[in-house]
C-alpha cells in the first residue's frame, strides 16, 4: 500500500514533470545513490570491482549512448566497438603526450626556453589551451603534456563525437539495413586503422596500448596500482553524469526531435524538425558517451588492450544485445540490459562450473544459447525489453490488491 500517488500532490510545473512522480520512487532513487556512493566503495574488493561493478558501469554508459542513437532516434548502428576503440586510443594519446608538427612561418629566435624534441631543438614560444607551442626555423610543434586522466577521458569523448558525426553523414541519405551496413563498415575500418597505423599505439612492437599510471590528487586512477574502490568511483561518477545528461536530453526538445525522426522522418520534417541536425546530434551525443565508455574500458578496467580483441565486432553486438534485452528508448533499460549481460556469465559460472562441475567451454556455449533465446523472446513478445516489464510491474503494484 506504500506505492501510491494518493496524498502526493503536485504544486508546481517542476514537480509535475519530475522524473520520478511517485514519492516512493524518489526515495528509492536517493537510497540507491547513497548506497552506490557511500557504502559500496567501503566494502568493494578486487573481484567485485573487476567481475561485476566496473564492467557494468562502463557498459551502461555504452548502452546509454547506443540507445540514444538506436532507441530514441531510430538509427541502427553496428559500429559501437569501433567508436569505443576511438575513445580508448584518443585517451591513450592524450595520457601519454601528443606532438603535432606544422611548417613554421615567420619564426624569429627569442629568449624562450629551449627543449629537445625528435632529434631537434625547439624554442618555447607560447601556450594554447593544453598545448605548449615550440618553434624552430623549420617546424612549429604543439606539445600536449600528460594531462589529468579525467580530462583525457572527457576529451576522448569529444574526439569520438567528431568521428561519429563523420560516419553519421550517410544517415542523411540511407536508413535501416543500409545504414547498419555503413556503420558496420565503420567498425571494420576503425579497427583496421588502429592496427595498421603504428602512430596510434606509439610505435609499440606488440601493437597494444598500455595505460600509464596517473593520479587524481594523490589517488591512482589508472595503472597497476589502482585500488578497486578508485576504479569503481571514477566509473560511477561518469555514469551518474552521463545518465543525468542523457535523461535531460531525451526529455527536452532535442529528445523529442530524435523520437519524431524515429517514428516517421518525413512527417517530422513536415512539422519542422530538421533531419540533418536531429540525426547528426544523435550520432554526436551517442558517440560521445560511447567514446567515454571506451576510454574507461581501456584506462580504468583493462589497462592494456589490443584493438582487434578488445573492440572487435563482438563488442558491437554485445552492446546492441544490451539495449534489445534492456529496452529500446529507455535509460533504465540501458542499465538493466548492461546489468543482465554482465551478471549472466558470472551466474552461469557459479552454477555450471562451481556447482555442477561442467566444463568451462560448455558453460560459455550455454551463455550464447541463452542470450540468443532471450533476444528472440523479447523481439517477439516484448520489444521494449526489461524496462517495459518493470513498468508493467510498477503499474500492477500501484493497483494492488485491486484488479484494475
Amino acid at each position: 500500500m506504500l506505492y501510491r500517488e494518493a496524498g502526493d500532490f503536485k504544486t508546481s510545473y517542476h514537480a509535475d514533470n519530475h522524473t520520478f512522480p511517485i514519492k516512493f520512487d524518489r526515495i528509492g532513487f536517493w537510497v540507491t545513490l547513497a548506497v552506490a556512493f557511500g557504502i559500496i566503495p567501503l566494502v568493494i574488493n578486487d573481484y567485485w570491482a573487476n567481475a561485476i561493478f566496473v564492467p557494468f558501469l562502463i557498459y551502461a554508459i555504452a548502452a546509454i549512448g547506443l540507445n540514444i542513437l538506436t532507441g530514441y532516434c531510430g538509427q541502427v548502428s553496428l559500429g559501437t566497438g569501433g567508436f569505443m576503440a576511438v575513445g580508448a586510443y584518443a585517451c591513450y594519446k592524450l595520457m601519454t603526450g601528443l606532438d603535432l608538427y606544422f611548417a613554421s612561418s615567420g619564426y624569429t629566435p627569442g629568449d624562450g626556453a629551449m627543449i629537445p624534441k625528435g632529434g631537434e631543438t625547439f624554442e618555447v614560444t607560447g601556450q594554447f589551451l593544453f598545448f605548449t607551442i615550440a618553434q624552430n626555423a623549420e617546424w612549429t610543434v604543439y606539445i600536449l603534456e600528460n594531462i589529468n586522466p579525467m580530462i583525457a577521458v572527457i576529451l576522448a569523448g569529444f574526439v569520438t563525437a567528431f568521428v561519429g558525426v563523420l560516419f553519421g553523414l550517410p544517415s542523411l541519405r540511407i536508413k535501416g539495413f543500409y545504414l547498419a551496413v555503413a556503420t558496420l563498415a565503420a567498425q571494420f575500418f576503425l579497427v583496421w586503422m588502429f592496427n595498421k597505423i603504428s602512430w596510434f599505439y606509439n610505435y609499440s612492437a606488440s601493437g597494444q596500448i598500455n595505460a600509464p599510471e596517473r593520479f587524481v590528487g594523490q589517488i591512482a586512477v589508472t595503472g597497476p596500482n589502482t585500488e578497486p574502490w578508485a576504479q569503481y568511483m571514477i566509473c560511477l561518477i561518469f555514469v551518474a553524469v552521463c545518465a543525468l545528461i542523457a535523461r535531460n536530453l531525451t526529455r527536452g526538445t532535442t529528445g523529442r526531435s530524435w523520437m519524431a525522426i524515429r517514428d516517421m522522418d518525413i512527417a517530422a520534417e513536415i512539422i519542422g524538425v530538421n533531419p540533418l541536425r536531429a540525426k547528426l546530434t544523435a550520432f554526436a551525443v551517442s558517440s560521445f558517451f560511447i567514446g567515454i565508455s571506451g576510454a574507461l574500458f581501456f584506462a580504468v578496467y583493462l589497462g592494456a588492450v589490443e584493438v582487434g580483441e578488445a573492440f572487435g565486432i563482438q563488442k558491437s553486438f554485445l552492446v546492441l544485445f544490451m539495449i534489445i534485452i534492456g529496452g529500446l528508448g529507455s535509460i533504465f533499460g540501458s542499465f538493466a540490459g548492461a546489468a543482465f549481460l554482465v551478471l549472466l556469465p558470472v551466474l552461469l559460472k557459479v552454477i555450471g562450473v562451481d556447482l555442477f562441475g561442467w566444463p568451462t567451454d560448455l558453460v560459455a556455449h550455454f551463455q550464447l544459447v541463452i542470450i540468443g533465446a532471450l533476444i528472440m523472446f523479447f523481439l517477439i513478445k516484448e520489444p521494449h525489453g526489461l524496462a517495459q516489464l518493470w513498468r508493467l510491474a510498477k503499474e500492477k503494484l500501484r493497483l494492488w490488491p485491486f484488479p484494475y
Side-chain angles (χ1 to χ4, degrees), residues 164-330:
V165 169
L166 292 181
F167 284 105
L169 290 174
S171 68
L172 304 178
R173 291 286 185 177
I174 58 178
K175 57 185 177 180
F177 172 78
Y178 300 99
L179 180 60
V181 172
T183 56
L184 186 63
Q187 163 74 36
F188 290 121
F189 170 76
L190 291 170
V191 171
W192 171 85
M193 182 179 70
F194 291 127
N195 264 325
K196 189 71 174 177
I197 303 176
S198 56
W199 177 82
F200 286 111
Y201 48 85
N202 286 352
Y203 307 99
S204 169
S206 65
Q208 73 174 17
I209 56 176
N210 298 278
E213 190 171 44
R214 293 291 181 266
F215 296 83
V216 173
Q218 301 297 319
I219 302 170
V221 295
T222 63
N225 298 318
T226 307
E227 295 290 335
W229 69 266
Q231 289 180 297
Y232 168 78
M233 282 302 298
I234 191 172
C235 293
L236 181 63
I237 290 169
F238 275 106
V239 165
V241 174
C242 289
L244 180 64
I245 294 172
R247 180 62 177 166
N248 282 281
L249 279 175
T250 54
R251 292 181 55 171
T253 304
T254 304
R256 295 182 188 280
S257 66
W258 291 340
M259 288 182 275
I261 292 293
R262 174 196 67 191
D263 294 338
M264 187 175 291
D265 53 353
I266 297 176
E269 188 173 4
I270 290 173
I271 64 174
V273 175
N274 186 333
L276 168 66
R277 180 164 53 191
K279 291 181 180 180
L280 292 188
T281 53
F283 268 97
V285 174
S286 170
S287 301
F288 176 77
F289 288 154
I290 293 171
I292 286 179
S293 71
L296 293 174
F297 191 75
F298 151 68
V300 178
Y301 180 45
L302 294 181
V305 300
E306 194 279 323
V307 63
E309 295 181 2
F311 302 111
I313 186 63
Q314 71 277 3
K315 192 70 66 182
S316 298
F317 282 113
L318 177 63
V319 181
L320 180 62
F321 295 161
M322 287 177 182
I323 66 170
I324 291 174
I325 292 174
L328 294 169
S330 168

Side-chain angles (χ1 to χ4, degrees), residues 7 23 25 37 75 79 86 89 93 248 261 274 285 288 311 329 337 383 386 396:
K23 185 177 181 180
D25 284 337
F37 279 95
Q75 309 301 300
V86 173
Y89 277 79
K93 295 299 291 186
N248 282 281
I261 292 293
N274 186 333
V285 174
F288 176 77
F311 302 111
L386 294 173
K396 295 292 185 182

Side-chain angles (χ1 to χ4, degrees), residues 50-113:
N50 289 294
I52 296 176
F53 284 109
V54 171
F56 158 65
L57 295 173
I58 293 172
Y59 282 128
I61 299 175
I64 290 172
L66 184 59
N67 221 336
I68 285 175
L69 183 62
T70 302
Y72 283 97
C73 196
Q75 309 301 300
V76 181
S77 174
L78 296 176
T80 308
F83 294 129
M84 288 181 71
V86 173
Y89 277 79
C91 182
Y92 172 69
K93 295 299 291 186
L94 292 168
M95 290 176 66
T96 56
L98 182 64
D99 300 336
L100 302 176
Y101 287 83
F102 301 93
S104 281
S105 60
Y107 166 69
T108 55
D111 56 356

Side-chain angles (χ1 to χ4, degrees), residues 9-146:
F9 300 109
K10 310 296 189 300
T11 57
S12 66
Y13 182 78
H14 174 75
D16 194 45
N17 284 274
H18 204 286
T19 301
F20 303 102
I22 299 177
K23 185 177 181 180
F24 194 86
D25 284 337
R26 294 196 293 272
I27 295 173
F29 171 74
W30 290 113
V31 168
T32 302
L33 281 185
V35 171
F37 279 95
I39 297 178
I40 293 179
L42 302 177
V43 299
I44 195 171
N45 57 29
D46 190 65
Y47 172 78
W48 284 96
N50 289 294
I52 296 176
F53 284 109
V54 171
F56 158 65
L57 295 173
I58 293 172
Y59 282 128
I61 299 175
I64 290 172
L66 184 59
N67 221 336
I68 285 175
L69 183 62
T70 302
Y72 283 97
C73 196
Q75 309 301 300
V76 181
S77 174
L78 296 176
T80 308
F83 294 129
M84 288 181 71
V86 173
Y89 277 79
C91 182
Y92 172 69
K93 295 299 291 186
L94 292 168
M95 290 176 66
T96 56
L98 182 64
D99 300 336
L100 302 176
Y101 287 83
F102 301 93
S104 281
S105 60
Y107 166 69
T108 55
D111 56 356
M114 305 302 292
I115 57 173
K117 183 69 65 172
E120 299 185 47
T121 302
F122 293 84
E123 178 187 357
V124 176
T125 57
Q127 191 81 20
F128 177 72
L129 298 178
F130 300 106
F131 291 89
T132 299
I133 305 174
Q135 292 180 291
N136 64 11
E138 295 183 17
W139 298 100
T140 297
V141 57
Y142 286 74
I143 305 167
L144 179 64
E145 301 295 344
N146 304 333

